[in-house]
Amino acid sequence: MITLYSGPLSLFARKVEIALHEKGLPFERVMVPFNQTTGYDPKHPEVLALNPKGQVPVLSDAGLVIYDSTVIIEYLDEAYPESPLYPGSPAERARCRLDELFADEILLQALRPLMHRTGPRPADPARRAAQDADALIAEETLAGHHARLEERLAGRAFFGPRLCAADIALFMGLLFGRRLGGPSFAGHPGLSGWFSRLRERPAFAQVADEIVEADRRLSVPVAMR
C-alpha cells in the first residue's frame, strides 16, 4: 500500500493526491496537523524522520520513501505506467516538465505575497499596509502569468497532448490564486474553460472541494473576484 503524508492546505501534497487519483492508485493518506497561526504544527514525527526538509508531501511505497511532489509523480509514472502523466516523446515530456516547473516555481513566487490573506491580520498597521501593497503588485504579476498561460494553451484541451503532470501543477497554482483572492481569468477564455473542465474531473473535484472545506475550518475568509 502506498502511504502519502499530506496536509489540508498543502499545494504540493494535494498535487500528488490528484496524480494518485488520476492514475487510479489506492493509497493511505495521513493528514498532518495545520493551523493558520503556526502552520504545520506540531510537526508530524514521521514526516520529520522521513524528509530532511520536514514537510509534506512524503510518499512511502514498499519501503521506498520519496519527497518533493515532482520527484514523487515522476516515480509514480515510472513504477505504475498505466494512465501516464508524462507524454511519450522526449520533446513533449520536456515541455510538460517546463510547464510544471513554471507552476511550481514561477507561479508560486507570485502567490506567496497573497498567502497572508488567509491568516490572522497583524496588529501593526504599517505591516498590514505593506502586505496589502505587496499583494497588489503580485496580482499584476499573476495577471501577466494568466495571459502567458492562455497563449501557451493555444486553444488545446490540455497543456500536453493529453492530461499531464503540468496540468495538475498549473491547476493547483491557479486554484490557490483564486482561493487567495487573486485575479480572475477574465479575458482568457481558453484558460478559464480549461480550469473549469479540470475542476469537474473527479480527482480534481475531490481535492478542490476538500480545500474549500479546509479553508472553511482553518482560514480567514477571503473576498473572491
Side-chain angles (χ1 to χ4, degrees):
M1 172 65 73
I2 295 171
T3 299
L4 176 69
Y5 294 87
S6 185
L9 294 172
S10 168
L11 186 157
F12 293 111
R14 295 298 197 161
K15 170 186 164 186
V16 174
E17 287 187 35
I18 292 176
L20 286 162
H21 288 309
E22 282 288 341
K23 292 183 73 65
L25 295 173
F27 64 100
E28 177 190 6
R29 183 177 68 180
V30 179
M31 195 65 78
V32 303
F34 173 83
N35 66 75
Q36 286 287 2
T37 304
T38 57
Y40 285 94
D41 181 66
K43 296 292 187 181
H44 195 287
E46 291 182 50
V47 171
L48 289 174
L50 296 173
N51 182 358
K53 296 170 73 174
Q55 62 192 34
V56 294
V58 178
L59 182 137
S60 175
D61 185 21
L64 176 67
V65 175
I66 315 169
Y67 49 90
D68 183 89
S69 63
T70 298
V71 176
I72 290 172
I73 295 175
E74 287 178 342
Y75 163 76
L76 292 173
D77 227 38
E78 293 175 358
Y80 304 95
E82 188 72 22
S83 301
L85 291 174
Y86 290 95
S89 76
E92 289 291 352
R93 281 199 302 275
R95 292 189 187 99
C96 175
R97 288 187 169 112
L98 285 173
D99 287 337
E100 184 180 10
L101 182 71
F102 181 89
D104 289 353
E105 297 191 10
I106 298 171
L107 191 59
L108 179 65
Q109 282 300 109
L111 289 172
R112 290 191 190 280
L114 277 61
M115 290 182 178
H116 73 279
R117 290 175 172 172
T118 58
R121 295 284 277 167
D124 180 12
R127 187 180 173 198
R128 289 200 306 270
Q131 286 181 332
D132 291 339
D134 288 343
L136 290 175
I137 294 170
E139 285 190 30
E140 293 181 5
T141 302
L142 283 169
H145 291 335
H146 291 175
R148 186 174 296 108
L149 290 171
E150 175 81 7
E151 182 179 350
R152 173 78 182 91
L153 193 57
R156 295 174 298 161
F158 302 108
F159 278 87
R162 52 164 288 169
L163 181 81
C164 69
D167 292 288
I168 299 174
L170 288 166
F171 176 86
M172 286 305 306
L174 294 175
L175 177 69
F176 267 58
R178 298 302 301 127
R179 65 173 282 266
L180 295 170
S184 73
F185 305 135
H188 306 301
L191 188 66
S192 178
W194 165 88
F195 186 85
S196 296
R197 288 192 303 274
L198 290 191
R199 181 67 174 81
E200 293 174 357
R201 292 175 73 99
F204 291 77
Q206 177 176 334
V207 163
D209 290 345
E210 287 185 0
I211 288 172
V212 169
E213 174 58 20
D215 269 329
R216 188 190 66 78
R217 293 183 291 106
L218 301 169
S219 301
V220 172
V222 176
M224 298 298 171
R225 287 179 292 163

